[in-house]
Amino acid sequence: MPTAPAPTPAARVSNRPVVQLTPGSALALAAGGGAVVLVVGAVLVSMLLAVAITATSVAVVAVVLRSLLKDIDKHR
């Protein structure tokens, strides 16, 4: 008794829309990504600069206070 060949499964059709990038939209997407990287980098560098300035000012205040306290101890 000959057997029938097994049916091949049909290809599934997706209901999701297909996004096709044109050269112009790909360029816009790359430019947008680059702009985001530049903005995030600028924010991080400015935060680092703020921390550095704060640390420097705290160090200067500490040195001045230590000098003042030494002068007060010398005069007693």
Side-chain angles (χ1 to χ4, degrees):
M1 184 158 125
T3 58
T8 58
R12 291 187 179 186
V13 178
S14 174
N15 291 334
R16 292 187 285 171
V18 177
V19 177
Q20 293 181 353
L21 290 178
T22 63
S25 62
L27 184 63
L29 187 63
V36 167
V37 167
L38 288 176
V39 168
V40 169
V43 168
L44 291 177
V45 167
S46 64
M47 289 173 63
L48 180 63
L49 183 62
V51 169
I53 291 172
T54 303
T56 304
S57 63
V58 168
V60 168
V61 168
V63 168
V64 169
L65 282 177
R66 186 175 69 176
S67 175
L68 289 175
L69 289 175
K70 280 186 178 181
D71 284 345
I72 290 174
D73 285 344
K74 285 182 182 179
H75 292 297
R76 284 187 180 182

